[in-house]
Amino acid sequence: MFLNFDSGWFVALNVLTNSSSGGQTFVGLWMMCVAILFTALSVLKLFYIRKVHSLYRSTGASFQKAQEEFARGVVTNPGVQTATKEAAKGAASGMASGMFSGASAGNNQM
């Protein structure tokens, strides 16, 4: 391939230029369509990332403000508090049951 670089554009062009039958031409054209669509999607993603970034900066937001807002929201959220309590309770009971189930002074092999 082209400098051992297997990009969709290069492979499609290679298939189109070296095609000897109609089947290979169709495959080359299909590969070109896929390469065009991937390129268009990449350009659109770049456009949207720039747009979101400019909107984010125009609101005066910062990562520090976002972290503070997230921390306030998580700490005061009753669902998160309940889930944290249940997870801690389950971890503590699992550890306690593992420590006390069948552990005796003679069987302890640390």
Side-chain angles (χ1 to χ4, degrees):
M1 291 284 103
F2 183 76
L3 294 176
N4 202 14
F5 185 68
D6 295 333
S7 171
W9 284 98
F10 296 121
V11 174
L13 288 172
N14 189 22
V15 169
L16 280 175
T17 57
N18 296 330
S19 64
S20 59
S21 67
Q24 286 182 344
T25 304
F26 176 75
V27 170
L29 289 174
W30 187 256
M31 289 172 67
M32 283 296 278
C33 291
V34 171
I36 289 168
L37 289 174
F38 271 115
T39 302
L41 284 174
S42 298
V43 170
L44 283 174
K45 287 179 183 181
L46 181 64
F47 171 74
Y48 284 125
I49 286 173
R50 290 182 56 100
K51 186 173 182 176
V52 167
H53 179 71
S54 66
L55 285 172
Y56 179 76
R57 287 294 174 198
S58 68
T59 61
S62 68
F63 285 115
Q64 184 177 4
K65 288 180 184 178
Q67 287 174 342
E68 290 171 0
E69 182 180 331
F70 176 75
R72 275 196 310 269
V74 168
V75 170
T76 59
N77 188 342
V80 172
Q81 289 175 350
T82 303
T84 304
K85 287 177 189 174
E86 292 298 320
K89 192 187 309 180
S93 67
M95 190 168 32
S97 67
M99 287 179 66
F100 299 120
S101 64
S104 65
N107 290 337
N108 194 358
Q109 297 179 354
M110 287 187 148

